[in-house]
Structure formats: structure tokens, C-alpha cells
Amino acid sequence: MAKILFVVTGVDHWTLADGSKHPTGFWAEEAVAPYEVFTSAGHEVVVATPGGVVPTVDRASLAPESNGGQEGADRIAAALGSITPLLKPLKLEEIDLGDYDAVFYPGGHGPMEDLAVDAVSGRLLAAALASGKPLGVVCHAPAALLAARNADGSSPFTGRRLTGFTNAEETQAGLADRAKWLLQDRLVELGADFQEGEPWAPHVVVDGNLVTGQNPASSAPLAQELLKKLA
């Protein structure tokens, strides 16, 4: 049995360009689908957040229109309620990578607010990448990669093939013109080899031990790729 660390945003908002706070948090499907994949395979999931705060789910991710109808919304809400590690997260600052076999970051707009500038998370990501352990990051969570630095100040993710929530998807979601910055733009500026798939379709990119997913629909396929690396 492997022990998998979920690093989850600790905020409940995303500050937009005009200074207003857009309610957010983590995206339900991006936590639920991988959790189900990992635990069904017999693995243990541990959750950590900055400061050990109980993470906030983005209410929009529980809506029928985000889950293919009311039945899907009811299922995702019930599944989310059964993930007890989300109710008792560890403090990210106290995490030892050596205690875990893999690391996974679910998205939602929350990581754009906190993990994108969190040095503790950045050090964990750099160490995870260097360790060779499976590292999964999905949707908006690649914002956390922006905080990762090598000893010389460069990014360990420069030149790596990866994906994340695209400019096209942010535009279609209606928030691109209100954002301070867009994730795809920042990852390209970082020097990452950004691989853009069709909007909203599952799209997973594997580069060594780094596995990234573009959007919510990519979270389950990404988890399956991580499972292969744990075998």
C-alpha cells in the first residue's frame, strides 16, 4: 500500500484584477476522482494544507451544471463528504516528503491565490520532482509550480512537458478578462513546454515522474497514470 499526499489550497477566494474576491477553493471532482482511484486500489491518502486549515470546496464544483446534472451533483457531494482526510489536514509546513510515495495537487482557482506564492509548497514540489516519486498536478494547481525554485533561483519545471487550465478554458469560463494573470501564460513564461489540448476534454501529459492534467475531466485519467507509476 502506498501513502499519497494531497496538497490542497487553503483559501476560499481568488483575488481578481479589480481587487474583488471571487469565491473559490478546491474543485470537488479533482479531489474526489483521484481519491476514489487511489483508495480503490488500496492506497492511503493524507491531506495537507498551508497552516493545516480545513480546505474549502468551490461551491460551483458541486452544481448540477458542473456534474452532468443533479444526479452527478448529488454523487459528487456524497463522495466528497466521505473523504475524512479533508476534515483533518496536516500542516504543509510540517510535511516530510520521505513519508510519502507520491504527491498530488488538485486544482480549483484557490492555488492561484495561495500555492502560486507558497515557498513551502514550492520546495516540496522541487524535492518531489527531483526524488523521482510520482508527482501529479491538475487544472489550476500547476500555479503552484510557479513557487518552485532550484538553489540557483531557476525553476525545476523549465523545459518540462506539462499542461494545465488553458487560456481558452478560462475565457470560456468567463474569468479570463477579470484575472490578474492567466495560468497558461505564466507557465509558458516559466519556460515550460506547455501542451494544450481541446477545451474541457481529458488531456494528460506525462514527463518522467511528472504527470499533469488540463482540467477537471483530466483528474481521473491523471490518477490512473499515477497508479501505473506506483505499481
Side-chain angles (χ1 to χ4, degrees):
M1 181 181 74
K3 196 172 181 182
I4 302 168
L5 178 68
F6 276 33
V7 179
V8 183
T9 177
V11 299
D12 62 3
H13 68 276
W14 175 35
T15 305
L16 300 176
D18 64 2
S20 63
K21 293 182 177 181
H22 176 71
T24 187
F26 70 91
W27 198 259
E29 181 181 358
E30 295 168 26
V32 168
Y35 181 84
E36 291 179 337
V37 168
F38 297 142
T39 56
S40 294
H43 302 309
E44 178 187 358
V45 169
V46 175
V47 172
T49 63
V53 301
V54 175
T56 299
V57 64
D58 189 318
R59 304 306 299 181
S61 69
L62 300 177
E65 53 268 30
S66 298
N67 294 285
Q70 189 61 52
E71 184 177 340
D74 291 344
R75 194 201 78 77
I76 204 89
L80 188 64
S82 70
I83 303 180
T84 53
L86 283 170
L87 303 176
K88 47 183 180 181
L90 303 180
K91 293 181 179 179
L92 182 58
E93 298 81 359
E94 298 177 358
I95 290 297
D96 181 348
L97 177 63
D99 294 336
Y100 302 93
D101 301 291
V103 178
F104 172 69
Y105 278 64
H109 279 106
M112 301 275 282
E113 183 78 17
D114 63 349
L115 298 179
V117 293
D118 190 305
V120 173
S121 170
R123 286 193 291 273
L124 177 69
L125 285 163
L129 187 69
S131 74
K133 294 180 179 183
L135 171 60
V137 195
V138 71
C139 201
H140 285 94
L145 309 186
L146 302 175
R149 288 288 178 269
N150 294 314
D152 63 1
S154 63
S155 171
F157 294 96
T158 297
R160 300 303 293 255
R161 289 185 301 107
L162 52 79
T163 191
F165 204 66
T166 64
N167 291 355
E169 288 167 321
E170 203 72 85
T171 298
Q172 291 174 24
L175 287 167
D177 60 352
R178 300 173 62 195
K180 288 182 179 178
W181 49 272
L182 298 178
L183 178 59
Q184 181 176 348
D185 290 346
R186 283 289 177 90
L187 292 171
V188 169
E189 289 168 9
L190 195 69
D193 181 4
F194 191 91
Q195 308 278 309
E196 181 176 359
E198 289 298 314
W200 312 109
H203 180 58
V204 175
V205 175
V206 180
D207 184 353
N209 63 315
L210 177 64
V211 184
T212 51
Q214 181 171 312
N215 45 38
S218 306
S219 52
L222 183 156
Q224 294 290 351
E225 289 293 335
L226 285 187
L227 269 191
K228 294 177 188 176
K229 294 183 175 296
L230 286 168

